[in-house]
Amino acid sequence: MPSPKTVTVLAPAKLNLSLDVVGTLPNGYHDLDMVMQAITLHETLVLRRSRYLTVRMPGSFVPVNEKNTAVKAALAFFHYTGLLAGVDITIRKQVPVRAGMAGGSADAAGVLVGMNELYGARLSMSELCALGASIGADVPFALMGGTCRVQGIGDLLKPLPPCPDCWFVVAMPSVGISTPEAFQRYDRMGSPAHPDCAGQEQAVRDGDLAALCAAAGNALEFCSGATETPAIRSILDANGALTSLMTGSGAAVFGIFDDPDRARSAAEALRAEYQQVYLARPDRGGARVVPNTPRRNAKNA
């Protein structure tokens, strides 16, 4: 069967159900222990065969230059495969920027998956993850998706059973956070919070949402510098969240709900204060090619 001339890819955002800093690696990077969850908030990418490499992000202020993760992914794919070709990429961004939700990593994963299909390269998931790791620490998870225990700098992934059924309400504050600056503040300040990632992994395996929430936490939240986090968490908790916390290095904050009506009420309450509020579910996959037809995405509540 000939390779297609156009492919559409959905690439999910992620949330950190837990994030701990457990040490420093020999290369100077922070040694992390995390449970990551893909959610039904997606970047949508359309890739077309072309003689040139072009990337467009309509409506987004993210620069499209050599530092852009989508550009890096396309160049890495061509270098690895040796293909003398180009690609035209249009990315409809839905994931907030500087949010700790791996939107840039989702873009890179979507490009790798899409180009693999577009040019019939038949790269394995292991090959795609190795390419992804050269672009960014969260790209391998963006490729794998689902629920994973993630360690090291994000390069050690252990797939877990699906997350217990729940709803996520995510709010993006008015100001984002720089990941390098967040870790610099952690080095200066430390953190009183160190979540039980092993306990949370077991809760996922047991299908125990209450235990999963009890083990949640983020060691970077204390030192994030995000002034709006307490207010967002207060609204989520007041509307019935089982737990609430910052994701990644911030600045997005989310709550976990076992009741859809409470989740919708929390989203409505947050909408009165914040422009970017999302209601989502766990996503069992990572970046994947889909038919070129409209697809439901998470609601910008």
Side-chain angles (χ1 to χ4, degrees), residues 21-283:
V21 182
V22 297
T24 303
L25 297 168
N27 59 9
Y29 286 96
H30 294 84
D31 190 9
L32 305 177
D33 193 1
M34 304 174 282
V35 176
M36 287 188 179
Q37 176 63 52
I39 65 170
T40 56
L41 174 64
H42 305 109
E43 306 279 64
T44 302
L45 300 86
V46 178
L47 297 87
R48 299 177 177 85
R49 292 191 182 200
S50 174
R51 295 172 58 189
Y52 309 100
L53 171 56
T54 55
V55 178
R56 290 184 291 270
M57 296 182 170
S60 173
F61 62 83
V62 175
V64 179
N65 54 32
E66 69 280 358
K67 295 182 179 180
N68 186 284
T69 55
V71 174
K72 287 182 177 180
L75 293 173
F77 179 88
F78 285 132
H79 178 75
Y80 183 78
T81 60
L83 284 168
L84 299 177
V87 64
D88 179 83
I89 304 168
T90 300
I91 302 176
R92 303 288 179 179
K93 290 194 69 65
Q94 293 289 324
V95 181
V97 178
R98 292 165 67 98
M101 298 179 70
S105 296
D107 295 339
V111 168
L112 292 174
V113 168
M115 293 182 68
N116 198 35
E117 178 78 7
L118 193 68
Y119 285 105
R122 299 185 179 180
L123 302 186
S124 67
M125 178 58 75
S126 294
E127 289 176 293
L128 291 173
C129 285
L131 278 177
S134 72
I135 299 162
D138 286 337
V139 180
F141 175 76
L143 288 159
M144 294 281 291
T147 311
C148 289
R149 178 89 175 267
V150 183
Q151 296 173 295
I153 62 170
D155 55 333
L156 305 175
L157 277 70
K158 182 198 298 184
L160 301 178
C163 174
D165 192 34
C166 62
W167 288 259
F168 301 110
V169 177
V170 188
M172 178 63 190
S174 58
V175 179
I177 291 177
S178 161
T179 297
E181 291 177 5
F183 279 102
Q184 289 169 10
R185 284 192 292 269
Y186 178 87
D187 289 338
R188 294 195 306 269
M189 301 171 61
S191 173
H194 291 282
D196 182 4
C197 299
Q200 193 169 66
E201 175 185 337
Q202 189 59 50
V204 171
R205 295 187 182 281
D206 294 340
D208 188 338
L209 183 63
L212 180 155
C213 291
N218 186 335
L220 295 179
E221 184 172 322
F222 172 76
C223 58
S224 70
T227 59
E228 295 165 280
T229 299
I232 296 174
R233 290 189 62 181
S234 178
I235 293 172
L236 289 165
D237 295 344
N239 282 274
L242 300 179
T243 191
S244 61
L245 64 154
M246 188 183 79
T247 180
S249 58
V253 179
F254 70 98
I256 302 177
F257 293 80
D258 60 1
D259 180 274
D261 292 331
R262 289 179 179 176
R264 282 189 285 267
S265 294
E268 285 295 319
L270 286 164
R271 187 174 62 178
E273 301 291 336
Y274 301 95
Q275 292 186 348
Q276 297 180 82
V277 179
Y278 306 90
L279 179 62
R281 304 293 299 278
D283 191 317

